[in-house]
Structures are given as C-alpha cells and as structure tokens.
Amino acid sequence: MKNIILVGKPNSGKSLLFNQLTGLRQKVANFPGVTVELKSGSFDQYKLVDFPGTYSLKSLSRDEELAIEKLHEAMLSDETSLVVCNLDATRLESSLVFGLQVRDLALQHNKGIIFALNMIDEVQRFGHEIDTEKLATDLGCAVFALSAKTLIGLHEFKLALIDAAKRPQDFLPLLHTEDKSSVLEISRTLSKRYGVKADVVLKKQNRIDGFLLNNLMGGVIFLAIMFLLFQSIFTWASPLMDFVEMALAESAVKVSNFLPDGVVNDFVTDALFGGVGSFLVFVPQIMVLTFVIGLLEDSGYLARAALICHKPLSYFGLSGRSFIPYLSGHACAIPAIMAARTIESPRKRLITMMTIPLMSCSARLPVYALLIAVLIPDTQYFGGLVNLQGITFFILYFIGILTALLVSTLLTKLTDVDKDKAEMPFVLELPTYRLPHWKPLGHRILTSAKQFIRRAGPVIFMVSVVIWFLGYFPENGVLQSSYLAMLGHWIEPIFEPLGLDWRYGVAILVSFLAREVFVGALGTLFGIEGADENISGLAANIQADGLTLGAGIGLMLFYVVALQCVATVATLKGETGSRKIAWGLFVAYGVLAYCLAWLAASLI
C-alpha cells in the first residue's frame, strides 16, 4: 500500500482534514522521549500519514527536529506516492513559508505535491475570494480550495487526491528557474497578491482578545473557566457515573445468581465486580475532562491562557509555555513531562518537569471521587449547576497547582537563576477563534477513554486478583485470618498516625503501580467483607466502616502530593537523564505527602 503524507503548520486545520479523509480508521505511532506522534489511516487504497505540525524545516526543539527527520525519511522512501501540504487560507503568508520549503523538498526528491487551501469558508465569510488557478500557476503546484469543517470542496478534493496519487509524476512542482527570491519574500508577495488582508482577519479576533486578555477581566474569566473545568469533572459526569454504577451492580447480581456458590462465585463477585468494576465507574470523568480541554484547545483559548499565565508564572521561575504541560498534566503526567521539551530554557524546562507530578492527573480522579463521595455531602447550589462536591474537587486541584508553584519557587532559588544569554524570548502564535468540530473532538474523547481502560485495566485486574487471592485464602474468605491481613497488620504501624487501618495501607502500597489501583484495591478489600450488602457501593461501605473526616482529608492531601506512579518516575528518569532526580522526587513528595496527611488527621 502506497503512502500519502499530509503536512502543514500547527493550527491550520490539518488534523480536521485528516479526520475527514480517514474517518475513525486511524492508528497512532508514538516516539519515545518526545511528544511527536504520526497518525495514519486508510484513504481509498492508500495509507494517509499525518505528520506533526511544524512552522519550518529548521527545527527549534527536539520534537520539531524528530518530526522533520521523519519527513525527510518519508521523502526518501519509495512507499511515499504523494505529498499533501495543508495551507491556512486565513494566514497565507505563515503557511506558505513552510509550504514553499516542502515544495522545494518534494522537487528535490522527485515527489508529487498538491496544496490543500483549507479554511476557505472563513475567507469567504470575510467577503474575499482567492484565485486558486493563478496561485497554482505561481506556486507551480495544483491548489484546491476547501473547508474541512463545512465540507466545501472536500468531495472534489478527494477525487483529485486519488487521481494525483495514481499518477504522482504529473504533479511534480514546476518552478521558475529565474526566481531566486527567498522563501520569506515569495510567501509575503503571494500573500499580498492572493490572501485576505491581515487587519480584516484580526479585526474580530482583536476585539475578542481585548476582552479575554484584559489585565483585569482576562484574569477573572480565566479563573472562572478553570473553575468550570474542575466543576464539570464531578457535576456533569455524575449522571453517566450513576448509569455505569447501576449497570455494574445489576450485572454483578445476575452473574452471581447464575454461578453456583463457592470460590468461583466469590472471585467474580468480589475480585472482578468489586475491584475492576470500581474503577470503570470513573471513566465518564476522564471523558468529560478530555471534552472540556478539547473545547479550550480547538476554540483557540488554550493559547490565550498560556499568554495570560506567562507573567504570573514568571514570578515562580517558569514561563507561559509551562502552562500547557501543566494543564496536560491534569490528564496524564507522562505526556505532560514530554511536552515540556518545547520550553527553550533548560532551567525552566527542568523545573516544569519536576513539578508536573503535582498536577492532579486523571488517575487521581477515581481516588478523589471516591473519598469526596464518602466525606462531602452532595449539597446543591444555583439550581444544581454547582455542588459542594465539585467545589471540593476544585480545591484539591488548586492545592496541587499551588504546591507546584511553591516548589517551583524553591527550586528556582536553589538553582542558577542567571538567565542564559541565548535564551529565546517568549513567543506564541495566537490561533484564530473557531468553533470546535464535533468529529475529531468525539474521536479524542473515545480515544482517551479507551487508553485509560487499556492502561489501567490490566494492572487493576492483576492487582485485584492478587489481593483477592491473598484475602480469600487460606480460610476461604475469612479476612482476619488471611495472608493479606498478615501483610497489612505488619505495615499498619506506618499508617496508624494517619488514622488509617491496614486495608488503606495495602491499597496505598499497590497504587504505586498506578494511582487508580487504589480504588480497585479498596473495592476488592471492602467487597470481600460487604459483598452481600452492596457490591458496587464502595463509598457506602467505607462510610459504614467509619472513616473519619481528618483521616479522609489527610488521605486526599496525600494523593494530591505523593508521586504514586512508577510510570511517571520512569518518564522523569528518561527525560532528565538522572535517576537521582527521579527517585529523589519520589522520596521528597512522599515525605511531604505523609506529613500533610498526618497534620490533617491530627488537627481535624
């Protein structure tokens, strides 16, 4: 199967075009140590490969360097049939800088190339028309105007793409030999000749930016959006969580009635539905988190948030570019740590990576949700739009962010604060405001849920089986005489000052494999004791067991700070190149988390 490669600059509609051409038939290849990923999907009889967005063939970061390296490899490959370069019709000059470089590269390697002039609907909305035939003549390549969002010209483009892929030699660039102008000069000339004027495009954007980036209102709006983000994780996901919990409970009862009494019945009821089932309840929260972050990113607000945060973050030794890894850390610390590679300053990059684990990732969601359901009443405000549990969620996330900033300040003072003279200034492109498109956003939500289940599911299953086995034998379910009780009572003195018994100690230890395992472990432990009462109601079982408010809050604070994730430690080691830093952070955050939990248990 021959390949068609799709390239373009970031925020140019390239990903949406890729989704429209391939549908959901996609695969992702990740490269270790960086955030670069190549998406591929089926298009007609070809394999369409979506390369990461880059602004130029001259790299500024390790991520861009690897992306460009892979592009050169694709150009050398006989499997590559055609190159498709995506252009942002609203920002023709910046798109053509990269587009012209790719055109010259395609000519150098004897590859056919066509240009997709995307977002033509926005250009038409401004009352402007682009003469694609004359632009194609000047570029020496075929140009097709389309809108991946509104589907304008997309059908015609698909037909042309299939035709070009079948006979790529007919689509080799035709360059004017006498044209010796630089790429920048040519792109500027072509933009003036064909593109919509910048002041027309920026007029509406600047009006909105004047409000959203205002010194006073911008900060208030930013805090309000962040509050709604964390509030939505609990409030909006509740109906879906209730549905999943009800389905699990009914399934457990039906399966239990079908099986004969004995070891197999106990295993399925307690280990599977009590352990693995306990974490499936929280998948809707992962989906809601992905949905809200996707809205912010696709609408163009995420880049504005980074700009708003630059000045405040600089007080803590960070830059505005640290905001995106920090926000990504609320989904998962591993890609967030790798995303910090885009920070030019080595010192700021290291500090950002070292403090990202303090962001409350999605793996902590099940832990927070469980403990909040146990300790915090579901008090409603403003007609149910806001509730006390959601506010508690926001406070926990805020504590993590505040701790990260305080640690950043301390690390800045302990390291060399003299700025590198070669350090680049903070420069960030602000994308045009756009309405998000449901198709790629929906695909992203489903992918995040699948990845969460695939990553956490096998670990939780193995841990649940081991815990059930240790808790069931040697006396067939008598927990007090089990192997697990022996292990738990041996480590119990460590957790007694926190107001926690041996079961919580065991759950904390096994959660080092993955934080979300804590819920599955407790589900198995409490399921063994209370399976006949309520298999899926783990929160009710813990409430009945008498977890105190101080111990519960201490446990939440422990998981806010503790680096309970072996994968994060491994990623830190790989990115920093230092085993000392990675395990040093594990110990330091563990000690700090224990002290905070002890203070909460002692004072509350």
Side-chain angles (χ1 to χ4, degrees):
M1 181 183 290
K2 288 286 188 177
N3 297 339
I4 300 174
I5 63 175
L6 176 62
V7 299
K9 78 178 190 71
N11 303 310
S12 62
K14 178 173 64 67
S15 296
L16 180 55
L17 176 60
F18 174 76
N19 277 280
Q20 296 289 19
L21 293 174
T22 61
L24 300 179
R25 306 179 303 277
Q26 301 175 9
K27 294 182 180 179
V28 178
N30 293 293
F31 297 95
V34 290
T35 59
V36 172
E37 62 179 28
L38 295 183
K39 295 180 181 179
S40 61
S42 299
F43 171 73
D44 194 61
Q45 57 184 337
Y46 300 94
K47 178 182 177 182
L48 184 65
V49 184
D50 180 22
F51 278 73
T54 50
Y55 291 101
S56 170
L57 289 182
K58 296 180 180 179
S59 61
L60 295 176
S61 67
R62 172 57 182 156
D63 281 15
E64 284 192 342
E65 181 182 340
L66 183 57
I68 294 167
E69 179 183 319
K70 293 299 175 183
L71 177 58
H72 280 285
E73 289 180 8
M75 289 291 190
L76 288 169
S77 174
D78 293 334
E79 295 299 314
T80 301
S81 175
L82 186 72
V83 180
V84 178
C85 186
N86 185 81
L87 302 177
D88 181 352
T90 64
R91 298 187 175 187
L92 201 54
E93 182 178 336
S94 59
S95 292
L96 281 173
V97 169
F98 179 64
L100 291 169
Q101 291 177 335
V102 173
R103 180 198 65 177
D104 295 344
L105 188 65
L107 181 63
Q108 178 183 341
H109 293 283
N110 200 37
K111 299 293 184 184
I113 181 173
I114 63 175
F115 285 93
L117 190 61
N118 207 341
M119 302 187 188
I120 198 66
D121 58 316
E122 295 192 23
V123 172
Q124 293 173 352
R125 184 163 53 85
F126 294 127
H128 185 79
E129 292 290 337
I130 295 179
D131 192 332
T132 54
E133 292 186 3
K134 290 185 177 179
L135 177 60
T137 301
D138 288 343
L139 286 174
C141 305
V143 178
F144 299 91
L146 59 92
S147 170
K149 182 178 180 180
T150 63
L151 307 184
I152 295 175
L154 187 63
H155 177 69
E156 293 78 3
F157 176 73
K158 287 180 178 180
L159 296 177
L161 182 56
I162 294 172
D163 180 56
K166 289 179 179 177
R167 46 189 188 93
Q169 292 302 311
D170 293 343
F171 289 85
L172 293 175
L174 302 174
L175 302 187
H176 302 291
T177 55
E178 68 276 5
D179 190 356
K180 298 182 180 180
S181 302
S182 68
V183 166
L184 185 60
E185 290 174 342
I186 296 173
S187 61
R188 189 170 295 156
T189 300
L190 293 178
S191 177
K192 289 180 179 178
R193 188 177 300 167
Y194 300 106
V196 59
K197 292 183 179 179
D199 57 343
V200 175
V201 177
L202 296 177
K203 186 177 181 181
K204 183 178 180 180
Q205 178 178 313
N206 289 341
R207 192 184 309 123
I208 300 174
D209 283 341
F211 180 70
L212 292 180
L213 300 182
N214 181 273
N215 289 336
L216 177 60
M217 289 304 300
V220 172
I221 293 170
F222 172 77
L223 290 176
I225 290 175
M226 292 300 105
F227 177 79
L228 288 175
L229 168 64
F230 301 127
Q231 179 70 220
S232 66
I233 294 170
F234 202 96
T235 307
W236 298 355
S238 291
L240 287 173
M241 292 175 67
D242 293 340
F243 173 78
V244 173
E245 186 174 6
M246 180 182 66
L248 287 171
E250 292 179 356
S251 300
V253 172
K254 291 180 180 179
V255 172
S256 180
N257 292 335
F258 177 77
L259 295 173
D261 293 338
V263 177
V264 175
N265 193 320
D266 292 341
F267 172 78
V268 172
T269 299
D270 299 329
L272 296 185
F273 285 98
V276 179
S278 296
F279 105 98
L280 290 176
V281 173
F282 304 101
V283 172
Q285 290 183 322
I286 308 299
M287 299 174 71
V288 170
L289 175 65
T290 306
F291 170 70
V292 177
I293 292 180
L295 284 180
L296 295 177
E297 182 178 2
D298 294 349
S299 65
Y301 183 77
L302 202 57
R304 271 82 180 175
L307 186 62
I308 291 171
C309 292
H310 176 64
K311 188 172 182 179
L313 287 176
S314 64
Y315 294 133
F316 302 98
L318 303 169
S319 90
R321 291 189 181 274
S322 301
F323 170 75
I324 294 178
Y326 269 11
L327 188 61
S328 301
H330 288 99
C332 181
I334 295 170
I337 290 170
M338 293 190 294
R341 279 180 167 261
T342 58
I343 302 172
E344 291 85 358
S345 166
R347 181 175 59 86
K348 293 177 180 178
R349 182 167 61 247
L350 178 61
I351 293 174
T352 301
M353 287 191 292
M354 292 174 69
T355 51
I356 281 174
L358 293 168
M359 301 296 111
S360 290
C361 65
S362 59
R364 289 173 167 106
L365 277 176
V367 182
Y368 292 167
L370 172 64
L371 296 174
I372 287 173
V374 171
L375 302 168
I376 309 299
D378 187 17
T379 307
Q380 304 287 329
Y381 304 101
F382 304 110
L385 293 176
V386 178
N387 67 14
L388 187 58
Q389 293 178 332
I391 293 173
T392 307
F393 241 116
F394 176 75
I395 293 172
L396 290 174
Y397 276 76
F398 179 76
I399 291 173
I401 295 170
L402 180 62
T403 306
L405 295 177
L406 293 176
V407 172
S408 298
T409 304
L410 179 63
L411 291 174
T412 300
K413 293 183 180 297
L414 294 176
T415 56
D416 184 11
V417 296
D418 292 332
K419 291 185 177 180
D420 185 356
K421 293 182 180 179
E423 184 175 320
M424 294 182 63
F426 177 68
V427 179
L428 188 69
E429 182 186 35
L430 297 181
T432 306
Y433 288 105
R434 300 185 181 100
L435 291 174
H437 195 273
W438 66 269
K439 192 172 183 179
L441 183 57
H443 181 262
R444 194 183 313 174
I445 293 169
L446 292 175
T447 301
S448 68
K450 290 178 183 177
Q451 288 177 345
F452 180 73
I453 294 172
R454 288 173 182 171
R455 180 173 62 88
V459 176
I460 290 178
F461 174 75
M462 290 186 292
V463 171
S464 297
V465 169
V466 171
I467 291 176
W468 179 86
F469 180 86
L470 293 175
Y472 194 84
F473 296 101
E475 297 192 18
N476 295 338
V478 181
L479 188 62
Q480 289 75 10
S481 305
S482 67
Y483 299 124
L484 190 62
M486 298 176 193
L487 173 64
H489 289 304
W490 183 68
I491 63 173
E492 191 170 29
I494 299 174
F495 298 97
E496 277 183 347
L498 309 184
L500 304 173
D501 63 24
W502 64 273
R503 293 168 298 183
Y504 295 95
V506 170
I508 289 172
L509 287 182
V510 298
S511 69
F512 179 58
L513 295 172
R515 294 180 180 97
E516 57 269 37
V517 172
F518 175 84
V519 175
L522 278 187
T524 303
L525 290 170
F526 279 88
I528 291 171
E529 291 187 320
D532 293 334
E533 299 173 6
N534 189 351
I535 295 172
S536 61
L538 179 55
N541 285 357
I542 295 176
Q543 282 178 330
D545 189 66
L547 180 68
T548 65
L549 181 62
I553 291 177
L555 192 53
M556 285 191 285
L557 291 176
F558 179 88
Y559 273 97
V560 168
V561 176
L563 210 172
Q564 287 292 107
C565 179
V566 65
T568 301
V569 174
T571 304
L572 278 168
K573 177 183 174 296
E575 290 299 301
T576 62
S578 171
R579 184 182 289 106
K580 182 179 178 181
I581 290 177
W583 288 106
L585 283 177
F586 170 73
V587 173
Y589 288 155
V591 171
L592 177 59
Y594 187 92
C595 292
L596 290 175
W598 176 78
L599 282 174
S602 302
L603 299 178
I604 298 177

